[in-house]
Amino acid sequence: ATAVGSADIGEVEWITTTADKSDGFTLSVRVRYNELVTVTGNPTLAVTNGNQGTGSGRGPHTLVYASGSGTTRLVFSLAIAAGNAATNADDILSIGAQSIALAGGTIKDTADGTTASSVVISSALGTAAGTLTVVA
């Protein structure tokens, strides 16, 4: 692989298309870099719960690195059981601006081994990912 500079985040997107509280679901988000990255440890990404449904105090949800080391696409996931207390119907989940928490791990540019210059999801990238509404 040829480095074009340090690896940076270029896009963030939901993999999950349906979040059904009664059935349970897995929240999954894909973070795309502009070049290959290698991951060690268990970095995490937070998903905010807007608490639009009945009640309050739910979220954020911490998605853990699941796959993609050695590629440009990292996947972060969290399984949420059926009937969970973490979400209610009508809650709106969003990614927003944030730094990926390295949690003792690393995300490095595969070509030159330098730490990726960006583990930051900008407000524009988080907003562009859109939201996910939980159904009953």
Side-chain angles (χ1 to χ4, degrees):
T2 302
V4 294
S6 292
D8 290 311
I9 296 172
E11 182 181 22
V12 179
E13 63 185 336
W14 287 101
I15 297 171
T16 304
T17 57
T18 304
D20 188 329
K21 179 179 175 74
S22 60
D23 290 340
F25 53 94
T26 297
L27 287 177
S28 293
V29 171
R30 183 178 297 116
V31 176
R32 294 180 193 248
Y33 279 80
N34 65 334
E35 56 186 290
L36 304 177
V37 292
T38 301
V39 179
T40 64
N42 297 301
T44 63
L45 180 147
V47 170
T48 302
N49 184 337
N51 290 297
Q52 288 80 359
T54 304
S56 63
R58 296 175 303 281
H61 306 289
T62 302
L63 284 60
V64 178
Y65 165 74
S67 65
S69 186
T71 73
T72 59
R73 299 172 183 169
L74 303 183
V75 175
F76 295 81
S77 295
L78 172 68
I80 298 181
N84 66 81
T87 60
N88 280 336
D90 300 324
D91 282 354
I92 298 175
L93 308 179
S94 61
I95 298 165
Q98 64 179 289
S99 293
I100 295 173
L102 295 176
T106 61
I107 299 176
K108 293 187 175 192
D109 185 309
T110 300
D112 62 18
T114 60
T115 300
S117 65
S118 175
V119 292
V120 176
I121 297 171
S122 69
S123 179
L125 290 172
T127 301
T131 59
L132 183 65
T133 302
V134 178
V135 297

